[in-house]
Amino acid sequence: MKNISHARITKMVMFLIAIVCLTGIAKALVDLEYDRVYLSNVNADNYFESQAFAEESYGIYNTLTELVGNYKSEANILSGKALTKEDSREIENELYYDKFYSLEEYDHNLPEADNKRIFKEVYADDIKRKKEERIQMQVKEFYQLVDTLKTYEGIVYYASDGEHVFSNSELNKKEQFESYDAYALFGDYQQKVYPNRVVESSYYDFFTYKVDTLNPQTDVMYVAYTDSFLQQKIQEWEADKVKVQKFLNESIAFLIGFIVSFIYLMIVIGRTSFKDENIHTHVIDKLYNDLNIVIVGCLMSMWFVLIVEVFRDIYLLLTVPIFIIALLLILSLVKHIKNRTILSHTLIYQMLKKVFLAIKHVFDSGSLAVKTVLFVIGYPIVVAATFFIFPITMALAAWFALKKVKSFNRIKEGVEYIQNGDLHHRIEIDGKGEFSRLAGNINRITEGLNKSVDSEIKSERLKTELITNVSHDIRTPLTSIITFVDLLKIENDPEKIAEYIDVLDQKSKRLKHLTDDLFEAAKASSGSMPVQLGRIDIVSLLTQGIGEMDEQIEASALDVKLAHPTEKVYVKADGKLLWRSIENLFSNIFKYAQPASRVYIDVEDVENEIRVTFKNISAYELNISADELMERFTRGDESRASQGSGLGLSIAESLIHIQRGKFLVQVDGDLFKAMIYLPKFPTE
């Protein structure tokens, strides 16, 4: 019940109420139009002040004024007296500008008055013919007005210019017309209208303004309204006034109902509750908003034309479906207003956006030649289309050109800095244009040069460290061997000789181990070591290795924890090289792991790869980075007391790399983590 305000049935009911109210208003308006009822009747106190009386009087007053003041008779018209100066001037100007002005007869060197004089002489026959046509038209209009007078019933009239008379009775005196309850007398410089309320009406000037064109010396016009005519018209006016009042009452009620229902629909449309922040759309909302507005306008125009001009008897059958469609479209516009897509969801906007994006894409990714051609072709078109704001167009073009020139100068200056040896200089260009990409490419070249220089410096440093550490590590056992050989030369004690021989054996093995590691590291890093990739069960390999190293594990008091998937896991690798890498990691663990701690080995399936992670707690403080740990002979300085060569991790990395895998090292406090990534063996 709490969401009844946004329930679909509630929305449908309020929508139907809005349609009923709109239809009610439309019905009342159509009925008033069909019955020729004036809304202004509700404000008039009596019939003589109403628009209905003004409309009835306008026709008779206008007709009599035209006949008496202008046409008078057929003979008068044929004589040309009804043709006014304005009529003659209009005929002459029409011919002058349509024919003479555009032909060679017109002399631009002569004054306008001389050209018109020549025109009247040359085109005298044409002017005469046009005037005769106008006279014949006036004769036709004269008889149409005479026939119109015969249609007036209940109105007595008399109009004369002293020679020509137009009347529908024998009455021709003022006193005779004054006997009626309503009359209007014009002539002898006097106007007398009864009742006085007619003169007080706001419509009085509307139906008497042409009377002022009559000649007050000769022309008279008397009009009177019979009692039967007035009684009928007053009754009709009173009935119409009741209709208008009823219409206003109904319209106000329907209008209030429509406003309330429409406001409700505007609030709830597109949402399922007051807390719902999203606007929910339907199929009709996919229609572009500008097309929506055009359709609504066409529907309302079609309704007006069909109802008023064609289907008067079935207008309700047409009104309801038209109003339903129009209201649905309007509510769709309301949704887009609430969703802030009223402009972006228009066909014009989408077309302009696509054109803009297409041009932008060309300027962002197209070649300089294409951009130049587009600019050469497009700029004149833009100038022609916006000639009325030509200064603004020129200013925009100048701004665009200045911006590109600045970008070019910035690149030029940046290249000069780099040329002079400043490899850390960056060229900053805003936007995504051609110059921006060029600047980005130059910056990347600079970054590549920096990396190459840094790599070369690092390589030289590593070579120096390698020579230093190798010479140091080899010199130590070699010095011992030389020393003990010298001692053997002078020693006669068998026990001492045996002791010296043991030391010589240890130092020679140590020297051999160092040279073997150095040789293996050189082969692995150079990529010259043969590799035979095959299907390897990584879990079985680890389990077997842990079993073989059981004595060393017990000696170090380490607790190895192996975690792996339940199903078989196969990798594509070289079994010997993979085991050598794992053996190096175990050797590293035995030498540097905290005694009596746990070692975790995790085998994980990571998409197209298998990850093997070794984690242990270091017995020494790891005060160096992971990158430094990967460098050869790192052990030489940080832990000289150990017996390793410092090449274990470097060898492991090189061996994994030549098997198309990855080897990573991470250090977190005293936690050491080594990760091997190998590709899965493809399943058949």
PDB file of all heavy atoms in Angstrom, residues 40-65:
ATOM      1  N   SER A  40     -17.352  36.271 -25.505  1.00  0.00           N
ATOM      2  CA  SER A  40     -17.514  37.624 -24.957  1.00  0.00           C
ATOM      3  C   SER A  40     -18.939  37.890 -24.493  1.00  0.00           C
ATOM      4  O   SER A  40     -19.191  38.877 -23.790  1.00  0.00           O
ATOM      5  CB  SER A  40     -17.124  38.661 -26.014  1.00  0.00           C
ATOM      6  OG  SER A  40     -17.905  38.506 -27.189  1.00  0.00           O
ATOM      7  N   ASN A  41     -19.906  37.014 -24.881  1.00  0.00           N
ATOM      8  CA  ASN A  41     -21.293  37.226 -24.461  1.00  0.00           C
ATOM      9  C   ASN A  41     -21.445  37.221 -22.954  1.00  0.00           C
ATOM     10  O   ASN A  41     -22.344  37.864 -22.400  1.00  0.00           O
ATOM     11  CB  ASN A  41     -22.197  36.147 -25.067  1.00  0.00           C
ATOM     12  CG  ASN A  41     -22.403  36.363 -26.559  1.00  0.00           C
ATOM     13  OD1 ASN A  41     -22.130  37.443 -27.070  1.00  0.00           O
ATOM     14  ND2 ASN A  41     -22.879  35.334 -27.259  1.00  0.00           N
ATOM     15  N   VAL A  42     -20.559  36.496 -22.280  1.00  0.00           N
ATOM     16  CA  VAL A  42     -20.698  36.380 -20.833  1.00  0.00           C
ATOM     17  C   VAL A  42     -20.412  37.704 -20.128  1.00  0.00           C
ATOM     18  O   VAL A  42     -20.870  37.943 -19.008  1.00  0.00           O
ATOM     19  CB  VAL A  42     -19.769  35.264 -20.313  1.00  0.00           C
ATOM     20  CG1 VAL A  42     -18.311  35.718 -20.311  1.00  0.00           C
ATOM     21  CG2 VAL A  42     -20.190  34.803 -18.923  1.00  0.00           C
ATOM     22  N   ASN A  43     -19.648  38.592 -20.790  1.00  0.00           N
ATOM     23  CA  ASN A  43     -19.303  39.882 -20.193  1.00  0.00           C
ATOM     24  C   ASN A  43     -20.274  40.993 -20.583  1.00  0.00           C
ATOM     25  O   ASN A  43     -20.223  42.083 -20.009  1.00  0.00           O
ATOM     26  CB  ASN A  43     -17.882  40.290 -20.612  1.00  0.00           C
ATOM     27  CG  ASN A  43     -16.831  39.344 -20.068  1.00  0.00           C
ATOM     28  OD1 ASN A  43     -16.945  38.872 -18.940  1.00  0.00           O
ATOM     29  ND2 ASN A  43     -15.815  39.052 -20.879  1.00  0.00           N
ATOM     30  N   ALA A  44     -21.136  40.766 -21.603  1.00  0.00           N
ATOM     31  CA  ALA A  44     -22.086  41.795 -22.044  1.00  0.00           C
ATOM     32  C   ALA A  44     -23.339  41.778 -21.171  1.00  0.00           C
ATOM     33  O   ALA A  44     -23.878  40.711 -20.858  1.00  0.00           O
ATOM     34  CB  ALA A  44     -22.448  41.561 -23.502  1.00  0.00           C
ATOM     35  N   ASP A  45     -23.818  42.991 -20.829  1.00  0.00           N
ATOM     36  CA  ASP A  45     -25.017  43.085 -19.974  1.00  0.00           C
ATOM     37  C   ASP A  45     -26.295  42.940 -20.782  1.00  0.00           C
ATOM     38  O   ASP A  45     -27.336  42.554 -20.239  1.00  0.00           O
ATOM     39  CB  ASP A  45     -25.029  44.418 -19.227  1.00  0.00           C
ATOM     40  CG  ASP A  45     -23.876  44.513 -18.232  1.00  0.00           C
ATOM     41  OD1 ASP A  45     -23.451  43.447 -17.738  1.00  0.00           O
ATOM     42  OD2 ASP A  45     -23.393  45.625 -17.967  1.00  0.00           O
ATOM     43  N   ASN A  46     -26.268  43.308 -22.065  1.00  0.00           N
ATOM     44  CA  ASN A  46     -27.454  43.181 -22.914  1.00  0.00           C
ATOM     45  C   ASN A  46     -27.023  42.918 -24.342  1.00  0.00           C
ATOM     46  O   ASN A  46     -25.850  43.019 -24.692  1.00  0.00           O
ATOM     47  CB  ASN A  46     -28.337  44.431 -22.829  1.00  0.00           C
ATOM     48  CG  ASN A  46     -27.574  45.680 -23.244  1.00  0.00           C
ATOM     49  OD1 ASN A  46     -27.345  45.911 -24.427  1.00  0.00           O
ATOM     50  ND2 ASN A  46     -27.142  46.484 -22.251  1.00  0.00           N
ATOM     51  N   TYR A  47     -27.995  42.605 -25.168  1.00  0.00           N
ATOM     52  CA  TYR A  47     -27.733  42.216 -26.550  1.00  0.00           C
ATOM     53  C   TYR A  47     -27.053  43.319 -27.351  1.00  0.00           C
ATOM     54  O   TYR A  47     -26.181  43.050 -28.181  1.00  0.00           O
ATOM     55  CB  TYR A  47     -29.053  41.807 -27.215  1.00  0.00           C
ATOM     56  CG  TYR A  47     -28.946  41.584 -28.697  1.00  0.00           C
ATOM     57  CD1 TYR A  47     -28.206  40.524 -29.217  1.00  0.00           C
ATOM     58  CD2 TYR A  47     -29.586  42.448 -29.589  1.00  0.00           C
ATOM     59  CE1 TYR A  47     -28.108  40.337 -30.585  1.00  0.00           C
ATOM     60  CE2 TYR A  47     -29.493  42.257 -30.961  1.00  0.00           C
ATOM     61  CZ  TYR A  47     -28.752  41.196 -31.456  1.00  0.00           C
ATOM     62  OH  TYR A  47     -28.646  41.011 -32.817  1.00  0.00           O
ATOM     63  N   PHE A  48     -27.421  44.599 -27.113  1.00  0.00           N
ATOM     64  CA  PHE A  48     -26.894  45.709 -27.912  1.00  0.00           C
ATOM     65  C   PHE A  48     -25.420  45.985 -27.634  1.00  0.00           C
ATOM     66  O   PHE A  48     -24.758  46.657 -28.422  1.00  0.00           O
ATOM     67  CB  PHE A  48     -27.722  46.977 -27.656  1.00  0.00           C
ATOM     68  CG  PHE A  48     -29.146  46.832 -28.095  1.00  0.00           C
ATOM     69  CD1 PHE A  48     -30.167  46.656 -27.163  1.00  0.00           C
ATOM     70  CD2 PHE A  48     -29.475  46.851 -29.437  1.00  0.00           C
ATOM     71  CE1 PHE A  48     -31.482  46.522 -27.565  1.00  0.00           C
ATOM     72  CE2 PHE A  48     -30.799  46.715 -29.842  1.00  0.00           C
ATOM     73  CZ  PHE A  48     -31.811  46.538 -28.910  1.00  0.00           C
ATOM     74  N   GLU A  49     -24.899  45.481 -26.530  1.00  0.00           N
ATOM     75  CA  GLU A  49     -23.475  45.650 -26.220  1.00  0.00           C
ATOM     76  C   GLU A  49     -22.648  44.419 -26.604  1.00  0.00           C
ATOM     77  O   GLU A  49     -21.439  44.400 -26.399  1.00  0.00           O
ATOM     78  CB  GLU A  49     -23.292  45.921 -24.722  1.00  0.00           C
ATOM     79  CG  GLU A  49     -23.935  47.211 -24.253  1.00  0.00           C
ATOM     80  CD  GLU A  49     -23.757  47.428 -22.768  1.00  0.00           C
ATOM     81  OE1 GLU A  49     -23.089  46.586 -22.123  1.00  0.00           O
ATOM     82  OE2 GLU A  49     -24.270  48.414 -22.240  1.00  0.00           O
ATOM     83  N   SER A  50     -23.302  43.428 -27.178  1.00  0.00           N
ATOM     84  CA  SER A  50     -22.634  42.153 -27.421  1.00  0.00           C
ATOM     85  C   SER A  50     -21.959  42.122 -28.782  1.00  0.00           C
ATOM     86  O   SER A  50     -22.245  42.924 -29.679  1.00  0.00           O
ATOM     87  CB  SER A  50     -23.643  41.005 -27.336  1.00  0.00           C
ATOM     88  OG  SER A  50     -24.570  41.097 -28.416  1.00  0.00           O
ATOM     89  N   GLN A  51     -21.054  41.155 -28.916  1.00  0.00           N
ATOM     90  CA  GLN A  51     -20.381  40.933 -30.190  1.00  0.00           C
ATOM     91  C   GLN A  51     -21.352  40.407 -31.232  1.00  0.00           C
ATOM     92  O   GLN A  51     -21.193  40.678 -32.429  1.00  0.00           O
ATOM     93  CB  GLN A  51     -19.230  39.934 -30.004  1.00  0.00           C
ATOM     94  CG  GLN A  51     -18.390  39.697 -31.253  1.00  0.00           C
ATOM     95  CD  GLN A  51     -17.253  38.732 -31.023  1.00  0.00           C
ATOM     96  OE1 GLN A  51     -16.982  38.352 -29.885  1.00  0.00           O
ATOM     97  NE2 GLN A  51     -16.587  38.324 -32.087  1.00  0.00           N
ATOM     98  N   ALA A  52     -22.399  39.688 -30.797  1.00  0.00           N
ATOM     99  CA  ALA A  52     -23.394  39.153 -31.725  1.00  0.00           C
ATOM    100  C   ALA A  52     -24.110  40.287 -32.460  1.00  0.00           C
ATOM    101  O   ALA A  52     -24.302  40.235 -33.681  1.00  0.00           O
ATOM    102  CB  ALA A  52     -24.399  38.285 -30.966  1.00  0.00           C
ATOM    103  N   PHE A  53     -24.505  41.335 -31.746  1.00  0.00           N
ATOM    104  CA  PHE A  53     -25.157  42.489 -32.380  1.00  0.00           C
ATOM    105  C   PHE A  53     -24.196  43.197 -33.336  1.00  0.00           C
ATOM    106  O   PHE A  53     -24.582  43.624 -34.431  1.00  0.00           O
ATOM    107  CB  PHE A  53     -25.652  43.473 -31.316  1.00  0.00           C
ATOM    108  CG  PHE A  53     -26.281  44.700 -31.888  1.00  0.00           C
ATOM    109  CD1 PHE A  53     -27.564  44.672 -32.413  1.00  0.00           C
ATOM    110  CD2 PHE A  53     -25.580  45.900 -31.936  1.00  0.00           C
ATOM    111  CE1 PHE A  53     -28.149  45.823 -32.956  1.00  0.00           C
ATOM    112  CE2 PHE A  53     -26.150  47.050 -32.474  1.00  0.00           C
ATOM    113  CZ  PHE A  53     -27.437  46.999 -32.990  1.00  0.00           C
ATOM    114  N   ALA A  54     -22.926  43.310 -32.933  1.00  0.00           N
ATOM    115  CA  ALA A  54     -21.933  43.963 -33.789  1.00  0.00           C
ATOM    116  C   ALA A  54     -21.742  43.181 -35.085  1.00  0.00           C
ATOM    117  O   ALA A  54     -21.624  43.770 -36.169  1.00  0.00           O
ATOM    118  CB  ALA A  54     -20.614  44.090 -33.043  1.00  0.00           C
ATOM    119  N   GLU A  55     -21.715  41.842 -35.009  1.00  0.00           N
ATOM    120  CA  GLU A  55     -21.551  41.022 -36.209  1.00  0.00           C
ATOM    121  C   GLU A  55     -22.751  41.173 -37.136  1.00  0.00           C
ATOM    122  O   GLU A  55     -22.606  41.250 -38.371  1.00  0.00           O
ATOM    123  CB  GLU A  55     -21.377  39.545 -35.817  1.00  0.00           C
ATOM    124  CG  GLU A  55     -20.087  39.241 -35.088  1.00  0.00           C
ATOM    125  CD  GLU A  55     -18.906  39.158 -36.040  1.00  0.00           C
ATOM    126  OE1 GLU A  55     -19.121  39.228 -37.268  1.00  0.00           O
ATOM    127  OE2 GLU A  55     -17.761  39.048 -35.567  1.00  0.00           O
ATOM    128  N   GLU A  56     -23.971  41.197 -36.563  1.00  0.00           N
ATOM    129  CA  GLU A  56     -25.181  41.365 -37.378  1.00  0.00           C
ATOM    130  C   GLU A  56     -25.193  42.720 -38.078  1.00  0.00           C
ATOM    131  O   GLU A  56     -25.560  42.837 -39.251  1.00  0.00           O
ATOM    132  CB  GLU A  56     -26.428  41.231 -36.489  1.00  0.00           C
ATOM    133  CG  GLU A  56     -26.664  39.847 -35.928  1.00  0.00           C
ATOM    134  CD  GLU A  56     -27.153  38.875 -36.987  1.00  0.00           C
ATOM    135  OE1 GLU A  56     -27.513  39.324 -38.098  1.00  0.00           O
ATOM    136  OE2 GLU A  56     -27.156  37.667 -36.719  1.00  0.00           O
ATOM    137  N   SER A  57     -24.754  43.769 -37.388  1.00  0.00           N
ATOM    138  CA  SER A  57     -24.806  45.129 -37.933  1.00  0.00           C
ATOM    139  C   SER A  57     -23.683  45.391 -38.923  1.00  0.00           C
ATOM    140  O   SER A  57     -23.846  46.186 -39.865  1.00  0.00           O
ATOM    141  CB  SER A  57     -24.734  46.154 -36.799  1.00  0.00           C
ATOM    142  OG  SER A  57     -25.789  45.955 -35.872  1.00  0.00           O
ATOM    143  N   TYR A  58     -22.527  44.736 -38.721  1.00  0.00           N
ATOM    144  CA  TYR A  58     -21.365  45.009 -39.569  1.00  0.00           C
ATOM    145  C   TYR A  58     -21.680  44.728 -41.035  1.00  0.00           C
ATOM    146  O   TYR A  58     -21.321  45.509 -41.925  1.00  0.00           O
ATOM    147  CB  TYR A  58     -20.177  44.153 -39.117  1.00  0.00           C
ATOM    148  CG  TYR A  58     -18.989  44.248 -40.036  1.00  0.00           C
ATOM    149  CD1 TYR A  58     -18.127  45.337 -39.982  1.00  0.00           C
ATOM    150  CD2 TYR A  58     -18.741  43.252 -40.985  1.00  0.00           C
ATOM    151  CE1 TYR A  58     -17.031  45.432 -40.838  1.00  0.00           C
ATOM    152  CE2 TYR A  58     -17.651  43.343 -41.843  1.00  0.00           C
ATOM    153  CZ  TYR A  58     -16.798  44.430 -41.760  1.00  0.00           C
ATOM    154  OH  TYR A  58     -15.736  44.535 -42.615  1.00  0.00           O
ATOM    155  N   GLY A  59     -22.353  43.620 -41.302  1.00  0.00           N
ATOM    156  CA  GLY A  59     -22.632  43.248 -42.688  1.00  0.00           C
ATOM    157  C   GLY A  59     -23.478  44.277 -43.411  1.00  0.00           C
ATOM    158  O   GLY A  59     -23.140  44.712 -44.515  1.00  0.00           O
ATOM    159  N   ILE A  60     -24.590  44.719 -42.807  1.00  0.00           N
ATOM    160  CA  ILE A  60     -25.491  45.668 -43.470  1.00  0.00           C
ATOM    161  C   ILE A  60     -24.853  47.040 -43.599  1.00  0.00           C
ATOM    162  O   ILE A  60     -24.963  47.700 -44.628  1.00  0.00           O
ATOM    163  CB  ILE A  60     -26.838  45.741 -42.703  1.00  0.00           C
ATOM    164  CG1 ILE A  60     -27.835  46.613 -43.468  1.00  0.00           C
ATOM    165  CG2 ILE A  60     -26.637  46.228 -41.288  1.00  0.00           C
ATOM    166  CD1 ILE A  60     -28.302  46.010 -44.755  1.00  0.00           C
ATOM    167  N   TYR A  61     -24.138  47.494 -42.578  1.00  0.00           N
ATOM    168  CA  TYR A  61     -23.498  48.807 -42.614  1.00  0.00           C
ATOM    169  C   TYR A  61     -22.405  48.842 -43.683  1.00  0.00           C
ATOM    170  O   TYR A  61     -22.290  49.804 -44.451  1.00  0.00           O
ATOM    171  CB  TYR A  61     -22.876  49.145 -41.261  1.00  0.00           C
ATOM    172  CG  TYR A  61     -23.884  49.585 -40.210  1.00  0.00           C
ATOM    173  CD1 TYR A  61     -25.165  49.060 -40.196  1.00  0.00           C
ATOM    174  CD2 TYR A  61     -23.546  50.502 -39.237  1.00  0.00           C
ATOM    175  CE1 TYR A  61     -26.091  49.432 -39.234  1.00  0.00           C
ATOM    176  CE2 TYR A  61     -24.454  50.897 -38.273  1.00  0.00           C
ATOM    177  CZ  TYR A  61     -25.728  50.350 -38.267  1.00  0.00           C
ATOM    178  OH  TYR A  61     -26.631  50.726 -37.323  1.00  0.00           O
ATOM    179  N   ASN A  62     -21.596  47.793 -43.738  1.00  0.00           N
ATOM    180  CA  ASN A  62     -20.488  47.743 -44.692  1.00  0.00           C
ATOM    181  C   ASN A  62     -21.008  47.686 -46.128  1.00  0.00           C
ATOM    182  O   ASN A  62     -20.485  48.366 -47.030  1.00  0.00           O
ATOM    183  CB  ASN A  62     -19.615  46.530 -44.393  1.00  0.00           C
ATOM    184  CG  ASN A  62     -18.378  46.475 -45.266  1.00  0.00           C
ATOM    185  OD1 ASN A  62     -17.561  47.388 -45.248  1.00  0.00           O
ATOM    186  ND2 ASN A  62     -18.251  45.411 -46.049  1.00  0.00           N
ATOM    187  N   THR A  63     -22.060  46.895 -46.359  1.00  0.00           N
ATOM    188  CA  THR A  63     -22.621  46.762 -47.711  1.00  0.00           C
ATOM    189  C   THR A  63     -23.226  48.075 -48.195  1.00  0.00           C
ATOM    190  O   THR A  63     -22.965  48.521 -49.330  1.00  0.00           O
ATOM    191  CB  THR A  63     -23.682  45.649 -47.718  1.00  0.00           C
ATOM    192  OG1 THR A  63     -23.090  44.423 -47.278  1.00  0.00           O
ATOM    193  CG2 THR A  63     -24.255  45.459 -49.114  1.00  0.00           C
ATOM    194  N   LEU A  64     -24.029  48.721 -47.365  1.00  0.00           N
ATOM    195  CA  LEU A  64     -24.658  49.986 -47.756  1.00  0.00           C
ATOM    196  C   LEU A  64     -23.613  51.072 -47.992  1.00  0.00           C
ATOM    197  O   LEU A  64     -23.727  51.876 -48.936  1.00  0.00           O
ATOM    198  CB  LEU A  64     -25.646  50.428 -46.683  1.00  0.00           C
ATOM    199  CG  LEU A  64     -26.930  49.583 -46.559  1.00  0.00           C
ATOM    200  CD1 LEU A  64     -27.739  50.026 -45.350  1.00  0.00           C
ATOM    201  CD2 LEU A  64     -27.765  49.696 -47.832  1.00  0.00           C
ATOM    202  N   THR A  65     -22.607  51.115 -47.148  1.00  0.00           N
ATOM    203  CA  THR A  65     -21.554  52.130 -47.309  1.00  0.00           C
ATOM    204  C   THR A  65     -20.816  51.939 -48.616  1.00  0.00           C
ATOM    205  O   THR A  65     -20.513  52.909 -49.332  1.00  0.00           O
ATOM    206  CB  THR A  65     -20.575  52.045 -46.126  1.00  0.00           C
ATOM    207  OG1 THR A  65     -21.281  52.241 -44.907  1.00  0.00           O
ATOM    208  CG2 THR A  65     -19.492  53.106 -46.255  1.00  0.00           C
TER     209      THR A  65
END
